């Protein structure tokens, strides 16, 4: 691996190609519709005295949706500094996207009264994240000004409607800002999540803004016996969540810091606090010599704010560009973004990457290997998208050879999901006649009768043997597509 990496990254033309990006690399496309909010969370940056509210113009939103359509981006996450469901016309917007089979994710405080029609729209989302830091109703009211009963009612109405109509329930996530004040109620939050049908609890770090006044504290500020007691409660609650089948998502070196918290035997915290541009962040350690941050966000993550700012990172205070000054494609391959990617690949981190608590430190060679794997996956995705686009444009007939896990992933996780196959064959006689993702598996001997224009070798093994078999069948001018 070391030889391969040095060969690739020491060649300027290869390096320039790697620090460039393609839309097909984007895994999370986030759009902020508004910063208007119905709550007033104590720690929120919206409490800044100079904070300016904004709402995304319709023309800008249309351009972003066109970008997604033109680049086969099939999922959009509507998340930002405000409450998305306060955006005028949000229901009609999302209804239109649902009709086009766009997967919609959204973050909401769910502290609103929704109509039956709005619940119907929300129930068709792919994923809903509810921001709530505790299931202690009084504490929730104090921290966020939110109503626990209203949150529970909205979650229950969506689940009940999906059950009634025999549809899949959206993936439900709870987002929690990890405060010292919520530690004692953490077990209750996980219990609430379990009975509410929540699958994932996302633990977010408290980011302190020096110009936002509040009386809340990060868990990592605790010291002495307070720290040890908090660590014990956290571990106990996490173990409970694991037993209940809840998935806990944490950031960066969370578990290292938890161990340090538990090991506090003096009066001072053992974690590091770093202040940069008014932000206070906590770490167990900073990247050392030969290390970088394990972050692929500058390639995979795009967030467009309501005022046109484009970001490739949640923690970086300044944008990498403005839509008013250039297209999204130009911004994502502009000098600012390429400089960030180069810094990660070389370990020459700027101040924001260096003190980021979201991504753990990693050896540079290991990180470069991760980047190359991402590029390989992007190349494969681009090949698939190209074939699917031709199939749709020319009304071509497609047959899959293979009905295993690889074929299932192609049909459910790539743009092949957009087309209707004329058939699937598999050489395993035990699969013949079985249903596979809505298709009846046929014997390979019948492949000529399917009159395919393109045969996709949808198998992770025996690819050469399958291709040789197809060539022997005298299928005429058929195209064989393989990986």
């Amino acid at each position: 691996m070391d030889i391969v990496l040095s060969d690739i990254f020491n060649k300027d033309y290869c390096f320039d190609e790697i620090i460039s990006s393609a839309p097909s690399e984007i895994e999370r496309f986030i759009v902020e519709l508004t910063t208007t909010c119905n709550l007033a969370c104590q720690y929120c940056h919206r409490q800044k005295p100079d904070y300016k509210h904004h709402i995304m113009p319709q023309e800008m939103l249309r351009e972003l949706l066109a970008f997604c359509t033109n680049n086969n981006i099939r999922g959009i996450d509507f998340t930002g500094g405000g409450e998305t469901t306060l955006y005028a016309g949000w229901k009609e917007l999302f209804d239109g996207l649902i009709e086009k089979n766009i997967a919609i994710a959204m973050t909401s405080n769910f502290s609103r009264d929704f109509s039956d029609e709005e619940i119907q729209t929300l129930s068709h989302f792919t994923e809903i994240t509810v921001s709530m830091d505790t299931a202690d109703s009084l504490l929730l009211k104090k921290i966020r000004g939110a109503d626990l009963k209203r949150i529970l009612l909205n979650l229950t109405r969506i689940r009940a409607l999906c059950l009634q109509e025999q549809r899949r329930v959206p993936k439900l996530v709870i987002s929690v800002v990890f405060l010292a004040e919520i530690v004692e109620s953490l077990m209750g939050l996980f219990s609430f999540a379990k009975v509410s049908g929540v699958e994932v609890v996302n633990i977010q770090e408290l980011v302190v803004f020096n110009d936002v006044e509040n009386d809340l504290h990060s868990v990592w500020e605790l010291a002495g016996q307070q720290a040890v007691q908090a660590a014990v409660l956290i571990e106990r609650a996490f173990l409970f969540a694991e037993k209940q089948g809840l998935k806990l998502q944490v950031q960066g070196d969370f578990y290292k810091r938890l161990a340090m918290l538990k090991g506090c035997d003096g009066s001072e915290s053992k974690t590091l606090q770093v202040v940069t541009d008014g932000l206070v962040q906590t770490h167990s350690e900073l990247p050392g010599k030969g290390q970088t941050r394990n972050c692929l966000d500058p390639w995979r993550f795009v967030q467009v704010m309501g005022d046109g700012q484009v970001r490739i990172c949640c923690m970086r205070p300044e944008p990498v560009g403005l839509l008013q000054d250039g297209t999204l494609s130009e911004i994502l391959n502009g000098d600012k973004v390429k400089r960030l990617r180069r810094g990660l690949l070389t370990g020459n981190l700027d101040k924001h990457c260096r003190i980021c608590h979201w991504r753990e430190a990693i050896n540079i060679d290991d990180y470069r290997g991760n980047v190359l794997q991402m590029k390989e996956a992007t190349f494969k995705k681009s090949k698939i998208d190209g074939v699917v686009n031709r199939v749709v444009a020319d009304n071509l007939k497609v047959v899959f050879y293979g009905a295993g896990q690889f074929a299932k992933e192609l049909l459910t996780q790539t743009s092949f999901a957009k087309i209707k196959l004329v058939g699937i064959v598999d050489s395993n006689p035990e699969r013949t006649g079985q249903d596979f993702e809505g298709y009846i598996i046929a014997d390979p001997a019948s492949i000529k009768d399917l009159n395919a224009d393109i045969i996709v070798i949808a198998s992770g093994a025996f690819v050469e043997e399958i291709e040789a078999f197809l060539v022997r069948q005298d299928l005429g001018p058929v195209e064989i597509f393989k990986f």
Side-chain angles (χ1 to χ4, degrees):
M1 174 64 77
D2 292 338
I3 296 176
V4 173
L5 289 179
S6 62
D7 285 348
I8 293 174
F9 287 94
N10 286 335
K11 291 180 170 57
D12 288 341
Y13 67 90
C14 291
F15 206 97
D16 289 342
E17 181 70 24
I18 290 169
I19 64 173
S20 299
S21 73
S24 55
E25 289 171 349
I26 298 173
E27 287 195 350
R28 192 174 181 200
F29 192 92
I30 302 177
V31 176
E32 178 190 66
L33 294 177
T34 180
T35 60
T36 305
C37 193
N38 53 322
L39 301 183
C41 303
Q42 287 190 36
Y43 48 72
C44 182
H45 63 289
R46 295 176 64 257
Q47 307 304 326
K48 286 184 169 185
D50 59 345
Y51 187 79
K52 295 181 180 179
H53 293 276
H54 44 261
I55 299 173
M56 179 168 286
Q58 289 288 330
E59 180 59 31
M60 183 179 294
L61 178 58
R62 282 193 290 270
E63 290 179 6
L64 293 175
L65 296 179
F67 176 88
C68 291
T69 299
N70 296 336
N71 292 288
N72 286 313
I73 296 174
R74 306 302 301 167
I76 306 176
D77 187 345
F78 291 91
T79 295
E83 171 54 40
T84 300
T85 62
L86 292 179
Y87 183 77
W90 70 269
K91 180 185 179 301
E92 292 74 19
L93 166 65
F94 294 149
D95 284 342
L97 295 177
I98 291 168
E99 286 185 6
K100 296 178 181 178
N101 294 318
I102 301 295
I104 301 175
M106 181 186 74
T107 298
S108 169
N109 56 51
F110 255 34
S111 292
R112 295 189 59 219
D113 292 323
F114 294 117
S115 68
D116 289 344
E117 292 76 17
E118 289 172 334
I119 289 292
Q120 178 68 241
T121 297
L122 292 168
S123 72
H124 286 278
F125 283 18
T126 300
E127 182 175 318
I128 297 174
T129 298
V130 180
S131 295
M132 54 177 292
D133 305 321
T134 178
D136 180 317
S137 59
L138 295 179
L139 187 56
L140 182 65
K141 178 72 73 174
K142 175 186 176 182
I143 295 173
R144 301 178 58 86
D147 183 352
L148 183 65
K149 292 181 179 178
R150 186 172 283 117
I151 294 173
L152 178 59
L153 177 61
N154 288 328
L155 287 170
T156 303
R157 290 174 69 194
I158 288 174
R159 294 175 65 206
L161 180 60
C162 291
L163 179 63
Q164 175 186 332
E165 297 184 354
Q166 299 182 38
R167 292 190 284 107
R168 180 189 58 81
V169 179
K171 179 181 179 180
L172 299 177
V173 181
I174 284 179
S175 179
V176 179
V177 175
F178 208 47
L179 306 167
E181 287 76 10
I182 73 166
V183 169
E184 291 186 0
S185 63
L186 201 54
M187 189 85 78
L189 176 69
F190 293 155
S191 300
F192 177 92
K194 178 64 177 179
V195 301
S196 301
V198 171
E199 299 179 35
V200 179
V201 178
N202 189 1
I203 307 293
Q204 302 279 346
E205 301 289 343
L206 172 66
V207 177
V208 179
F209 300 91
N210 285 338
D211 50 355
V212 174
E213 295 184 5
N214 66 75
D215 57 357
L216 301 174
H217 306 86
S218 168
V219 170
W220 314 118
E221 295 178 40
L222 299 175
Q225 282 303 306
Q226 276 191 321
V228 175
Q229 291 170 5
V232 171
L233 290 174
I234 293 167
E235 288 185 339
R236 187 178 300 163
F238 274 39
L239 182 60
F240 169 79
E242 182 181 336
K243 289 182 178 179
Q244 299 305 316
L246 290 172
K247 180 179 179 181
L248 302 179
Q249 291 182 337
V250 298
Q251 299 165 0
D253 55 0
F254 179 92
Y255 289 107
K256 285 185 180 179
R257 283 178 285 168
L258 183 59
M260 295 171 73
L261 197 69
K262 191 175 180 180
C264 278
D265 50 8
S267 60
E268 296 184 0
S269 170
K270 294 184 179 182
T271 54
L272 304 172
Q273 283 198 336
V274 183
V275 182
T276 304
D277 295 343
L279 302 180
V280 182
Q281 300 187 62
T282 310
H283 308 268
S284 64
E285 59 185 355
L286 297 176
K289 184 177 180 181
Q291 289 188 313
T292 186
R293 289 283 178 200
N294 190 17
C295 179
L296 299 176
D297 287 353
W299 290 271
R300 289 182 166 177
F301 178 97
V302 177
Q303 183 176 29
V304 182
M305 313 306 286
D307 59 357
Q309 291 187 34
V310 178
R311 299 177 180 271
I312 45 84
C313 168
C314 284
M315 297 308 303
R316 185 172 292 273
E318 78 278 356
V320 293
L322 296 171
L323 283 183
Q324 294 88 337
D325 299 334
T327 67
L328 189 54
S329 294
E330 290 170 343
I331 293 171
L332 296 180
N333 278 299
D335 291 339
K336 283 187 177 180
V337 182
K338 285 186 174 181
R339 190 158 52 246
L340 289 174
R341 295 170 184 152
R342 184 181 292 275
L344 286 164
L345 286 163
T346 60
N348 186 24
L349 304 176
D350 69 7
K351 59 182 178 181
H352 299 299
C353 288
R354 178 168 171 73
I355 61 102
C356 176
H357 65 250
W358 277 53
R359 301 289 184 251
E360 71 273 19
I362 186 176
N363 290 332
I364 291 175
D365 277 352
D366 292 336
Y367 175 73
R368 289 179 171 186
N370 293 343
V371 172
L372 290 181
Q373 288 179 4
M374 176 194 68
K375 288 290 184 178
E376 182 180 358
T378 300
F379 177 70
K380 182 183 295 184
K381 182 178 183 296
S382 297
K383 285 181 64 178
I384 293 173
D385 290 345
V387 170
V388 171
N389 289 340
R390 286 195 292 117
V391 169
V392 173
D394 299 334
N395 196 27
L396 302 177
K397 297 178 181 179
V398 179
V399 169
F400 268 25
Y401 193 119
Q405 182 60 33
F406 186 62
K408 183 176 182 179
E409 291 175 0
L410 290 176
L411 285 174
T412 59
Q413 300 178 22
T414 74
S415 54
F416 275 121
K418 298 194 311 183
I419 65 175
K420 181 71 174 177
L421 306 181
V422 295
I424 294 181
V425 303
D426 193 281
S427 56
N428 185 344
E430 294 182 0
R431 292 176 175 172
T432 302
Q434 292 185 2
D435 178 84
F436 181 80
E437 299 297 321
Y439 298 94
I440 300 300
I441 302 173
D443 185 277
S446 65
I447 196 167
K448 192 171 185 178
D449 299 332
L450 296 174
N451 296 317
D453 297 304
I454 299 176
I455 297 176
V456 176
I457 301 180
S459 174
F462 306 109
V463 175
E464 293 181 0
E465 291 84 348
I466 293 172
E467 183 178 20
F469 167 81
L470 293 173
V471 171
R472 293 196 301 270
Q473 301 311 300
D474 190 23
L475 299 173
V478 64
E479 177 183 344
I480 298 174
F481 182 82
K482 61 181 181 179
F483 297 93

